[in-house]
Each structure stands twice: as structure tokens, then as C-alpha cells.
């Protein structure tokens, strides 16, 4: 009698090792009985011969064998069909000021119902949330929270937005799209905090569904993306151009890390590119680095470095250049680009005064770019 076929997953389970990571081959911990509520067919992939699939969600384009996962660890090939394992699977949720994301020109003073699943499609050496971003879904506690419940919790707790943040929303995109739809049905908009390492087709769907995007632009050099992020710069730049072409409200954060991305030339190249490709009204937040994760050997960013970055970007004509992680600094506030009067005063993540009148400077009536209500 022919013995029943044993799959690799069955073997690993029998051996007490669970499934292994397709990217690095490391065995994952033994899984508890799977909760099927988290498992949905993925939206963005192509079927390939021999039950393989090619993921078309992010530029990494993982080619995945049957019973294996992609680099991000949250998507799995089962018999030639690709599944997300993190739909409605929240690993972190908090209510934060929207300024903490940071969004400075999107609903100032609002609370954001902020959520994340496990997983990420890059591996930044400075990640602050590596405990959830660099693990597989089975390795962290998660709760089942379907989109309707997310929208209701946001509305019932007085939140002015749902924010997808902490890890990387690209890798739980199906859940983002469904939550955004549920949020809109209850009058709650959605704001995404992303590395923008995403292919154009899913990006266009995202832009059609959410209300604002904050991009963590890690650097303006491909070498940094290769060595510090394990990603690529060009697809990120292309994604930002598409976002703006589609009319999306976009803000950019640039974490300035001593010795790695803190040169004048990089600041200047970045500011010029933004001016020429995205427009001078896109806010840029130069943010202070604190030693974290795999970069504990570097010091915090000196304030003088951040101020130098701002001076260069201001000089290139960008209208809204902020400094982040420097509570109390005047560059946390918004100033009218024409008359230079303060229009939104902030301290840390708090809005102290919002002087805007229907999105205009109260002094000279200049419209201030943003989605203010
Ligand atoms: S989202 Fe990116 S990292 Fe994850 S499986 Fe798809 S291509 Fe790979």
C-alpha cells in the first residue's frame, strides 16, 4: 500500500518545528490550531506553473513555492492559491493624536484609532517596532477585529481617523482596504503610514480608498535603501509621484541618522526632487533619530543637523518643513508660506492654537494646503 503523501509542512509539524520561512529558511514556532478567521485569499498575485505563485503586492515580487511564505511572513501559498494570514488580525492598537503619525495638515487635533498586524516587507536597522514588524503572525498575540468593529471602535471613541501604522500596512493591504470602506460608511476617514514600497496596481486601489498617506522616506540614496533598509529607493519615489497624481494628501517623514543620511547634498537632492516631482506644498518632517534595534551604536541626531536640513529644504522653496522629535521647537508649528504668520501652533503632539479660517491664513487669506476637516 502506498503511504499517504506527507507535505513539508506536515513533516515540520510532526517534528515540532512548525512551518519555515521561505525567505530565510528559519523554522517558525509550532503553531496553535490555525484560526481561519484571519485567512483570506490575497488580492495581488499571479499563478505560476507547478503551483508556484508570484506576489504582485510589493516590488520584492516574491516567487513562492507551494506551502511557503513570502519575505514578509504573512502571506502563504497553499496549493497554488495565495492567502493573507493577517486579515482582521490586530497585533497592536492604540489611540494616538494624529500629530504623532505625524500628520500636520490632516485633521489637526484629531485622535487616530491606530492599528497594526505583524509583519513587514523591509527590515530597517533602526525599526522602533521590530517586536511586531519583524515577526510572523504566530509569534505575537493578536486579536480578531473585523473591519466593521474597527470602524465602530474608532467612531465610538471619538476618533477622527483610522490610522494604519506601527508595522507596514502594505503587507496587510486587504485589511486596510476593508477597514477604510467600513470607516467611510460610519464617517471615519483613513490615514496610512507607510514605507511606500508597493507596486503601482495595489497603490492605485489604496489611493482610491484612503484619505491621506504619510510616507516614511528612509533616505534619498539607493545605497542606504540596500544596506540599511533591505529595499529599493526608486519604487518608493514612483509611488509618491503616483499618489500626488491621484490627488492624495501626502506628507513625508525623513528620519535623519548621524553619518548615514545627514549630508547637505542628500538634503538638497531630496528637497529639489520633492519640489520638482511632488510640489512645494508637500510637508516634510525631518525627524530626530534615537538609537534603536540594530543601530544602538549611533548617537541621537544633533539638533543642529536637523536645523541644517530644514534650512536647506526651506532654501529650495518647500513651503512646510518641520522638525520632529524635538518637543517645543518652533519648527513644529505651521506658518503661512506668504506672510509667515503662524497658522497652527503645536507643542509636541498637541495643537495649542489653530488659527486657520476655512483652510486659509487668518492674516493674508492665503489658502494653506491640507485636508483640514
Ligand atoms: S508583500 Fe512583498 S514581501 Fe510580502 S510576499 Fe508580497 S512581494 Fe513578498
Amino acid at each position: 500500500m502506498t503511504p499517504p503523501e506527507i507535505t513539508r509542512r506536515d513533516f515540520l509539524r510532526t517534528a515540532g518545528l512548525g512551518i519555515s520561512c521561505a525567505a530565510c529558511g528559519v523554522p517558525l514556532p509550532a503553531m496553535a490550531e490555525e484560526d481561519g478567521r484571519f485567512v483570506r485569499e490575497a488580492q495581488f498575485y499571479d499563478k505560476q506553473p507547478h503551483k508556484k505563485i508570484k506576489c504582485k503586492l510589493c516590488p520584492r515580487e516574491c516567487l513562492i513555492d507551494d506551502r511557503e511564505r513570502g519575505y514578509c511572513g504573512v502571506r502563504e501559498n497553499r496549493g497554488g492559491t495565495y492567502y493573507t494570514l493577517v486579515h482582521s488580525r490586530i497585533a497592536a492598537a492604540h489611540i494616538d493624536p494624529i500629530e504623532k503619525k505625524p500628520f500636520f495638515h490632516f485633521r489637526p487635533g484629531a485622535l487616530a484609532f491606530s492599528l497594526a498586524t505583524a509583519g513587514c516587507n523591509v527590515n530597517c536597522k533602526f525599526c522602533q517596532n521590530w517586536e511586531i514588524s519583524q515577526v510572523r503572525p504566530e509569534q505575537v498575540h493578536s486579536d480578531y477585529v473585523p473591519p466593521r468593529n474597527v470602524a465602530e471602535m474608532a467612531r465610538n471613541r471619538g476618533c477622527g481617523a483610522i490610522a494604519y501604522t506601527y508595522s507596514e500596512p502594505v503587507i496587510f493591504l486587504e485589511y486596510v482596504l476593508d477597514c477604510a470602506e467600513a470607516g467611510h460608511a460610519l464617517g471615519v476617514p483613513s490615514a496610512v503610514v507607510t514605507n511606500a514600497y508597493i507596486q503601482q496596481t495595489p497603490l492605485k486601489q489604496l489611493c482610491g480608498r484612503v484619505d491621506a498617506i504619510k510616507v516614511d522616506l528612509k533616505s534619498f540614496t539607493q545605497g542606504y535603501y540596500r544596506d540599511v533598509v533591505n529595499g529599493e529607493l526608486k519604487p518608493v519615489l514612483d509611488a509618491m509621484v503616483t499618489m500626488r497624481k491621484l490627488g492624495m494628501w501626502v506628507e513625508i517623514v525623513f528620519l535623519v541618522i548621524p553619518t548615514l543620511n545627514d549630508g547637505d547634498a542628500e538634503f538638497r537632492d531630496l528637497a529639489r526632487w520633492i519640489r520638482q516631482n511632488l510640489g512645494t506644498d508637500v510637508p516634510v518632517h525631518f525627524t530626530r533619530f534615537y538609537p534603536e534595534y540594530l543601530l544602538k551604536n549611533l548617537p541621537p541626531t544633533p539638533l543642529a543637523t536637523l536645523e541644517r536640513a530644514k534650512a536647506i529644504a526651506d532654501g529650495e522653496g518647500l513651503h512646510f518643513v518641520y522638525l520632529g522629535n524635538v518637543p517645543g521647537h518652533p519648527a513644529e508649528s505651521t506658518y503661512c508660506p506668504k506672510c509667515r504668520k503662524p497658522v497652527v501652533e503645536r507643542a509636541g503632539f498637541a495643537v495649542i492654537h489653530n488659527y486657520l479660517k476655512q483652510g486659509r491664513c487668518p492674516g493674508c487669506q492665503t489658502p494653506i494646503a491640507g485636508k483640514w476637516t
Side-chain angles (χ1 to χ4, degrees), residues 224 256-263 298-299:
Y224 181 105
V256 181
I257 303 185
T259 72
L260 296 184
N261 62 358
D262 61 348
L298 293 177

Side-chain angles (χ1 to χ4, degrees), residues 37-38 87-90 93 113 115 142-151 153 175 179:
R37 294 177 299 177
F38 301 135
H87 196 286
S88 305
R89 191 173 195 163
I90 289 186
F113 186 86
L115 61 89
S142 299
D143 291 305
Y144 174 67
V145 190
R148 169 89 191 174
N149 295 30
V150 168
M153 283 193 283
Y175 186 38
C179 288

Side-chain angles (χ1 to χ4, degrees), residues 99 108-109 332-334 342-347 350-356 362 372:
E99 283 74 17
E332 290 180 317
S333 294
T334 304
V343 291
V344 182
E345 289 180 347
R346 302 180 187 83
V351 173
I352 307 301
H353 290 293
N354 182 348
Y355 300 106
L356 287 166
W372 301 107

Side-chain angles (χ1 to χ4, degrees), residues 55 57-58 60-62 64 70-72 75 82 121 170-171:
C55 182
L57 178 50
C58 92
R60 206 171 283 285
E61 287 209 343
C62 298
I64 304 163
Y71 176 92
C72 55
R75 294 170 174 271
Y82 206 35
N121 57 351
V170 167
I171 61 92

Side-chain angles (χ1 to χ4, degrees), residues 93-116:
H94 302 279
I95 293 178
D96 298 325
I98 196 108
E99 283 74 17
K100 192 174 177 183
K101 306 297 134 193
F103 282 101
F104 277 12
H105 291 233
F106 179 74
R107 308 202 121 202
L111 294 173
F113 186 86
S114 308
L115 61 89

Side-chain angles (χ1 to χ4, degrees), residues 126 255-258 287-292 295 298-301 325:
F126 48 82
L255 182 73
V256 181
I257 303 185
T287 300
R288 175 178 254 171
F289 159 84
Y290 287 102
E292 274 288 350
L295 285 185
L298 293 177
T301 319
N325 283 345

